[in-house]
Amino acid sequence: MKILHLSDLHIGKSVNGFSMIAEQKHAFAQVVEHIKTECPDAVVIAGDVYDRAVPSVESVRLFDDFLTDLAKTDVAVLLVSGNHDSPERLGYAGRLLTEKRLHLCGMFGGFLHKVVLNDEHGVVNFWLLPFIKPSSLRGLYEEREVESYDGAISAVIESANIDYSERNILIAHQFFTKFGVTPIRSESEFNPVGGLGAVSAELVERFDYVALGHLHGGQSVGSEHIRYCGSPIKYSFSEWRHEKSATLIKLKEKGSLSISTLPFTPIHDMREIKGEIEKLLSDEISSLADKEDYLRVVLTDEEEIIDPMGKLRSVYPNVMSIGFENSRTNIDISSINADIEAIETLSQYDLFNEFFLEVQGSVMSEEQIVIVRELLERTGEE
């Protein structure tokens, strides 16, 4: 049996004010082409279909088109909700769509949902686990108290009475980690309320394959068969070096598994360029790659530059952010003009960032940035 593993579509997401809808549509077209070429038996989507719980009309239409295209290929689709999704909205009409081999598991119903597919080697059990919090399980398992993410996942799996002599695949959107293994993370994965609680990968070791969602970089969690496939496109500049791909699993008889990746090629890549502004604007440098790529530009000029964003966008129309790296400062001004009137448009975070620099004489560390953003977002500041 061949299985194509996707996750973290984040339909409707914008990056630095740039809509990713066109890039997402392009990636979904490549998924359909991969299906036609590889002929998988199933496509699994491990959560975060949408970027927000209440998606835009444009986002819903794009996902509707994508599901319709998948249905035309006659491949089975198995999908779970992620922490960014609204479980109720994502699972709407799920029972009706099952007749079209579209298995959408949005809401956790108190048990591990099971879908059975067959091949020449017998049955393959797909276990669908949408994103859950410990609090959502309280009262469901009277014989045990569920206080942690580890405890929640353990309770759900143990209650399923899984026959591990058969082939079993788990589809889940949780933050699975392995002791001693540092996961590759990106800025866009942090949850506004403090991130997902880590779950030990040891709880799912006995599955033949674990299709995970949440981390945007493709990677295994200790064991090869426990894997994040990553997002199909880049959603932050911490991902600009990622090679985006889908994961293709070939499952034969029990114990026989092979894993490969299928690349995604973006319309416009996301990358970083660095140097003095006049050199970056020159034909010699600008002609080295696509000028319409999404760019983070780090300027090393020592002198003041008037309207750096305007100058850069005259050559590179999709500059997303600017940073400075010189002897005076390395403030990330992220698309903010040098004009003093721009102060009035600064967010609470940007104002605090400026205050911190003034008081401490240095910019915040990555850990400090995460803490400040979480505190501001808890009080309602985006």
Side-chain angles (χ1 to χ4, degrees):
M1 180 173 289
K2 281 187 179 182
I3 302 147
L4 188 64
H5 174 193
L6 306 169
S7 76
D8 295 273
L9 311 182
H10 287 281
I11 301 174
K13 186 174 181 64
S14 292
V15 181
N16 291 71
F18 287 73
S19 171
M20 294 289 105
I21 284 288
E23 293 287 350
Q24 291 164 341
K25 185 176 182 180
H26 183 65
F28 298 161
Q30 292 176 75
V31 171
V32 174
E33 289 304 311
H34 285 321
I35 291 172
K36 292 178 180 178
T37 301
E38 298 293 340
C39 301
D41 301 281
V43 172
V44 303
I45 304 176
D48 279 358
V49 172
Y50 293 114
D51 190 55
R52 58 185 62 186
V54 183
S56 66
V57 172
E58 186 179 28
S59 302
V60 174
R61 285 174 178 167
L62 178 55
F63 184 50
D64 180 58
D65 289 341
F66 183 40
L67 281 183
T68 301
D69 290 339
L70 291 179
K72 290 177 181 177
T73 67
D74 198 35
V75 66
V77 177
L78 304 102
L79 176 153
V80 301
S81 62
N83 59 298
H84 279 252
D85 298 311
S86 165
E88 298 85 356
R89 288 182 173 86
L90 198 59
Y92 177 74
R95 285 176 291 180
L96 289 174
L97 292 174
T98 298
E99 298 177 5
K100 296 293 184 181
R101 306 186 74 202
L102 301 176
H103 305 274
L104 311 183
C105 186
M107 288 285 293
F108 178 69
F111 61 92
L112 199 55
H113 186 70
K114 178 181 176 182
V115 176
V116 180
L117 300 181
N118 294 273
D119 65 7
E120 66 272 22
H121 300 289
V123 301
V124 178
N125 303 309
F126 290 80
W127 301 91
L128 279 60
L129 178 60
F131 172 67
I132 57 173
K133 298 179 180 180
S135 58
S136 63
L137 268 63
R138 288 170 190 156
L140 294 177
Y141 303 98
E142 296 181 358
E143 71 280 5
R144 61 192 299 175
E145 292 185 7
V146 178
E147 299 294 340
S148 66
Y149 280 87
D150 252 21
I153 301 303
S154 177
V156 171
I157 292 175
E158 288 178 13
S159 67
N161 295 319
I162 299 169
D163 182 355
Y164 288 103
S165 67
E166 298 179 342
R167 293 173 296 168
N168 296 284
I169 294 177
L170 177 67
I171 308 168
H173 189 97
Q174 300 284 161
F175 182 31
F176 280 90
T177 60
K178 180 84 170 182
F179 180 75
V181 178
T182 302
I184 302 170
R185 303 197 66 180
S186 69
E187 295 171 2
S188 54
E189 293 156 4
F190 288 104
N191 189 352
V193 293
L196 299 184
V199 180
S200 172
E202 294 180 3
L203 296 176
V204 295
E205 280 280 358
R206 298 181 67 189
F207 285 90
D208 294 271
Y209 183 75
V210 182
L212 295 178
H214 179 54
L215 298 189
H216 289 187
Q219 59 194 288
S220 295
V221 187
S223 302
E224 185 184 25
H225 72 290
I226 305 174
R227 181 172 175 80
Y228 295 99
C229 65
S231 60
I233 66 176
K234 300 173 184 179
Y235 287 127
S236 74
F237 280 100
S238 60
E239 302 174 31
W240 75 276
R241 295 183 185 275
H242 290 188
E243 296 293 334
K244 297 299 185 179
S245 63
T247 299
L248 183 67
I249 305 99
K250 296 180 182 179
L251 184 64
K252 296 182 180 179
E253 66 275 5
K254 180 75 175 180
S256 177
L257 178 77
S258 64
I259 298 173
S260 58
T261 57
L262 304 174
F264 287 117
T265 303
I267 300 173
H268 303 304
D269 200 3
M270 184 179 287
R271 56 191 177 90
E272 181 179 288
I273 58 175
K274 180 178 178 180
E276 296 179 351
I277 191 167
E278 291 304 321
K279 290 182 179 179
L280 296 179
L281 295 176
S282 69
D283 290 338
E284 179 185 2
I285 300 299
S286 63
S287 62
L288 295 176
D290 187 352
K291 296 177 183 178
E292 295 191 3
D293 283 346
Y294 301 113
L295 297 181
R296 168 178 163 77
V297 181
V298 179
L299 297 175
T300 59
D301 302 77
E302 289 293 335
E303 67 276 7
E304 293 287 348
I305 303 171
I306 298 175
D307 189 20
M309 183 62 78
K311 291 178 179 179
L312 287 166
R313 283 184 174 168
S314 69
V315 175
Y316 306 101
N318 293 328
V319 174
M320 285 184 165
S321 70
I322 301 176
F324 287 105
E325 190 173 298
N326 52 39
S327 60
R328 293 179 291 107
T329 180
N330 60 353
I331 303 172
D332 182 354
I333 65 172
S334 299
S335 307
I336 299 171
N337 290 327
D339 195 310
I340 191 64
E341 293 179 1
I343 292 295
E344 297 177 358
T345 69
L346 291 178
S347 67
Q348 292 284 348
Y349 168 77
D350 291 320
L351 288 170
F352 185 84
N353 193 28
E354 295 284 343
F355 170 77
F356 187 94
L357 179 66
E358 180 69 19
V359 173
Q360 296 293 331
S362 63
V363 296
M364 291 186 288
S365 68
E366 290 295 325
E367 290 183 357
Q368 290 169 331
I369 288 172
V370 172
I371 292 169
V372 171
R373 287 193 182 278
E374 290 176 356
L375 290 174
L376 290 173
E377 287 165 343
R378 286 179 184 175
T379 60
E381 172 61 29
E382 293 295 330

